[in-house]
Each structure stands twice: as C-alpha cells, then as structure tokens.
Amino acid sequence: MQTNFTAEQLADPDTRESNTILRTCVHCGFCTATCPTFVLLGDELDSPRGRIYLIKDMLESGQPATEAVVRHVDRCLSCLSCMTTCPSGVHYMHLVDHARRYIEETYTRPWPERLLRRALGATLPYPARFRLALRAARLARPLRGWLPGRGTTFGRMRAMLELAPETLPPADPAPAVRRYLAEGERRGRVALLTGCAQTVLAPSINAATIRLLTRMGVEVVVSEGQGCCGALNHHMGQHDPAMALARANIAAWTREIEGEGLDAIVVNASGCGTTVKDYGHMFREEPEPWAARAALVAARARDVSEVLLQFGYAPSRAAPELTVAYHAACSLQHGQKITSAPKQLLARAGFTVKEPAEGHLCCGSAGTYNLMQPEIAGALKARKLENIGRTGAAVIASGNIGCLTQLGSGPLPAIHTVELLDWMAGGPAPAGLSDGTV
C-alpha cells in the first residue's frame, strides 16, 4: 500500500511503525473471510482491509478522528484472526492499537460513552474496585428489564448487568507477596501473573495453576507489585494508565529475575499473555532501563500450557468419559500462535477433545467488547455456542477468563483448561463438575 506521510509525521515512532505496517498490505482481501465483524455485517469498512484504509487516511490527514472512523475501529474485536490469515505479514495489532490511541487523543466521544470508558478503565484492572462494582451490579440486576429497549447507552447497561455473576467466590485472603515451594526436588522457578478480573471472577484458576506447577517441582512466586497487565486500558486507547500498570509488572518481575531468577513468567489468561509478550514493543521508545527490562520480561512470558508441556505434565488418575469442546481463545491462537498445546494436554489427561466448527472466529468477549458492542458480541456468542453444541461435548474448555465468562452463561459449563488438567493430576473437580460428571 502506498502511503504519503510527511517527514515530520514520520519523526513520531508510532507513525513510523504504522507506515511500515501499512506498506506491507497488498489489498488481497484474504483477511475479510476470517474477520468476525465482516462475516456478520458484510461491510467492507468492518473488515481489516477496510479499517486499514480508514486508519491510513486518518493518520495521514493529521486531523482529529471522525465519527465514521471511530465507529468502524470500535467494532474491531482485536481478535487478530486477520494476522493468522494474512499472507503478507501485516501486523494489524500494532496498527489498530496506534489507531485507538490516536482516537482517544483526538476524538470527543458522547459524554455517556466517555463516562463509561473511564469507569471501566478505572475499575476492571483493580480487583477491590471490580468486586465492589459487581456487588452493585448484582443488586441492580433485577432492574435491567425496566431499562428502555433502545439506545446505545441502555444497551450497554443491560449487557453489564446481564454479565454480572449472581454470586462471587470469596475474596482471596492470602498476602500480596506469596511463595509456593516446589514439591520434591525443585526443577524450576516461575512468577505467576495473578491478573485482575480473573482473581475476582475465578480465583480457582490461579489456585489450580499453583497446585499443578508445584506438584511438578516448579516453585511459584507471586511478586510484590504485580497486577493487571494493562491490556484492558491499552485496547481502549488509554495509553498512560496501561503503561503504568505494565511498568509495575516489569519492575516486580525484574526484581525476581535479578534476584533468585525466573525460568518463566506464567500467564494463565491468554489475553494478558498476548500483552505481556508485547511489552518489548510497548516500551521500545521508553528510556533505559525500561526498554531493556520490558524486553527481558517479554522474552520470559509463557502461557501456562507452554510451561506445562515444558515440565512434562502427566495425569495421576483415570479420566472420566468426558468429551470436552476446546474453544481456542483468539488471543492464544492468533495473538500468541499457540494452537496445539492445550489440546495436546487435554488429550494427555484422558479427555476426548472436540473442536467446534469456525474455531477461528471470536466468541465476542474481547476484553470490554461485550460491554461496549453488546449486539455484535451477542451474535458471535450465539454462533459460537451453536457450533459448540454440535460437537456433542459436555463441557467447554478454554484458556481465557473473558471467553469463559462469555460462554459460561450458555447451556454447558465453561472451565479453564488448567482446572481440568489439575483435576486429573490430583486436584479437586472444577466447579460444575463436583462429582466428576456434568
């Protein structure tokens, strides 16, 4: 693709990076076939190719973003299916991230939307605030039927109330800094990203991860100062809050690396993993030592499935006759290019693993997407659940808390892959499978 940025514009590192990405695109259109919003809406501007043209024109003009550009970029899930499909290697993730930051800095959204986005950015990354918000939503949930039937703001309010769980697990009373010793001879030492929303919605995922790894001879540390990876703010274009959260993680893990050392930084929410693995890019223009530290951390980041394969996961009990539909989270299969490891581990544990049709299409969760774009998210969810239902599986397995929340309100229990693996290695049955059945 031909671009026409000025020398002054190209002095900006983000614009220079976007220029390189834009010039890689050859207009082939392969991306349209695997883009969830194009599959649903059939609008070229709601395809990666269409958005690339819009972003190019917006950045070249140097003018504030228009409502039309914002509308179509907002509809992008950042599922990155287009990156898997693209034969030219267009790094769409970095391009759309730049576009979102540009929009955030130049476009004035309607005040209800500004308020909602700020509230989400100031609440979701912080477990205590998020827990309070969910409690308030649970109290307000019976009122959702009284909300007006039309209007974007009311639709988003209904989506938030419907997604709020009826009950919450107890808050984790453990101290902020924790060290879990390996059982037997220590074979490795890792740091665990405990995350933000996941610690409130499903703390059992971190507990299962720790049990599994320590049984395998891996010491697990939860470092002082680690927390939200920054992805939620980053994908809303909220650059400074995202960088502050990432910086805290980098500082915490750098201390561990320079202290007793780390073999890996384990992430069991694939959306977070994609972001942590991109810290090197996010901090590439930051002054030292931050750029080097970020690159060091990114190089050690691993999805939990990668680490379990590395240390030789093996079950210790016979599996029940249970068919599992494996839902590949977009951030894992497209963002991190991890496709076979979770299925391999589930099969090793003794489960029958089925893959639903259209496995490359997003379930509609995508961070805050199911709150901000509830109609599209709902259509994608229904399509995903229909395909999963055709597999005949009794349970859904996935490696991302957003997907589990999105799909868990359907007819089948949705359980993190690591909880199923821990169960077969001596841990408790996951919630919903308490007696070993569905």
Side-chain angles (χ1 to χ4, degrees):
M1 177 179 290
Q2 183 178 355
T3 58
N4 295 287
F5 291 103
T6 66
E8 183 179 2
Q9 288 175 315
L10 292 175
D12 173 67
D14 288 329
T15 303
R16 192 163 58 247
E17 172 79 7
S18 291
N19 180 57
T20 301
I21 296 168
L22 289 166
R23 285 177 170 267
T24 307
C25 179
V26 297
H27 322 275
C28 67
F30 284 9
C31 57
T32 60
T34 60
C35 174
T37 50
F38 183 76
V39 168
L40 282 183
L41 305 175
D43 187 339
E44 172 75 13
L45 295 180
D46 285 314
S47 74
R49 182 172 62 181
R51 293 187 181 104
I52 285 172
Y53 277 110
L54 291 174
I55 292 169
K56 171 185 176 294
D57 291 344
M58 175 182 70
L59 295 178
E60 282 183 339
S61 74
Q63 299 298 311
T66 65
E67 185 278 333
V69 172
V70 173
R71 177 169 14 105
H72 293 293
V73 171
D74 281 354
R75 286 178 184 167
C76 173
L77 294 125
S78 280
C79 71
L80 309 181
S81 181
C82 55
M83 287 180 58
T84 297
T85 309
C86 180
S88 302
V90 175
H91 206 302
Y92 180 82
M93 181 176 81
H94 290 161
L95 180 66
V96 78
D97 284 346
H98 180 202
R100 287 184 168 128
R101 180 182 177 185
Y102 187 93
I103 288 169
E104 187 71 9
E105 293 172 350
T106 66
Y107 182 71
T108 302
R109 296 177 183 272
W111 73 262
E113 188 171 353
R114 292 201 307 273
L115 183 62
L116 177 57
R117 291 169 68 90
R118 288 173 184 170
L120 291 173
T123 302
L124 293 178
Y126 304 95
R129 300 178 196 175
F130 185 43
R131 180 174 290 275
L132 286 174
L134 288 178
R135 286 175 176 168
R138 185 175 58 196
L139 293 175
R141 190 171 183 175
L143 303 177
R144 66 188 186 278
W146 294 90
L147 293 172
R150 294 185 178 182
T152 300
T153 300
F154 291 117
R156 288 167 174 165
M157 291 174 65
R158 277 194 300 275
M160 286 188 285
L161 293 176
E162 288 169 2
L163 280 169
E166 294 184 3
T167 60
L168 284 175
D172 187 356
V177 184
R178 286 161 277 173
R179 182 174 181 175
Y180 301 89
L181 299 179
E183 295 183 11
E185 181 182 355
R186 194 177 88 172
R187 303 170 60 206
R189 186 175 190 268
V190 302
L192 175 65
L193 171 65
T194 55
C196 48
Q198 181 171 281
T199 64
V200 177
L201 295 171
S204 57
I205 296 171
N206 286 336
T209 302
I210 292 166
R211 284 193 301 267
L212 261 180
L213 290 172
T214 52
R215 277 195 221 102
M216 296 167 67
V218 180
E219 180 180 308
V220 180
V221 60
V222 176
S223 309
E224 181 181 6
Q226 65 85 47
C228 176
C229 67
L232 292 169
N233 300 90
H234 185 59
H235 294 312
M236 287 193 287
Q238 298 172 354
H239 176 74
D240 290 344
M243 294 293 281
L245 291 166
R247 197 181 304 274
N249 286 333
I250 291 167
W253 294 326
T254 299
R255 286 193 296 270
E256 297 290 349
I257 293 170
E258 294 176 348
E260 295 186 53
L262 292 175
D263 295 295
I265 297 164
V266 177
V267 187
N268 55 21
S270 61
C272 303
T274 301
T275 296
V276 175
K277 289 183 176 182
D278 202 46
Y279 277 180
H281 177 82
M282 290 171 61
F283 281 78
R284 70 195 185 284
E285 296 295 330
E286 293 292 302
E288 296 297 351
W290 290 105
R293 288 176 176 175
L296 187 67
V297 163
R300 278 176 168 75
R302 298 287 185 275
D303 182 72
V304 63
S305 63
E306 296 179 284
V307 176
L308 291 175
L309 279 182
Q310 176 186 347
F311 286 97
Y313 168 81
S316 61
R317 58 164 58 124
E321 294 184 3
L322 191 62
T323 299
V324 174
Y326 174 67
H327 164 66
C330 296
S331 46
L332 196 60
Q333 63 170 324
H334 303 308
Q336 299 183 51
K337 308 301 181 187
I338 297 173
T339 55
S340 62
K343 293 179 289 185
Q344 183 180 343
L345 288 164
L346 287 168
R348 187 181 295 182
F351 299 110
T352 300
V353 183
K354 296 288 186 70
E355 294 182 71
E358 298 184 328
H360 62 283
L361 289 183
C362 185
C363 69
S365 173
T368 59
Y369 192 91
N370 52 1
L371 303 177
M372 302 303 295
Q373 303 285 339
E375 290 187 6
I376 297 174
L380 290 171
K381 172 185 173 179
R383 187 174 183 130
K384 181 65 67 175
L385 287 174
E386 184 178 353
N387 283 323
I388 288 173
R390 293 195 183 104
T391 66
V395 63
I396 303 168
S398 188
N400 188 54
I401 184 62
C403 303
L404 297 174
T405 303
Q406 176 82 338
L407 301 176
S409 59
L412 300 179
I415 298 173
H416 198 288
T417 304
V418 80
E419 292 187 88
L420 291 169
L421 299 175
D422 174 57
W423 178 30
M424 291 300 99
L433 302 177
S434 57
D435 59 354
T437 61
V438 178

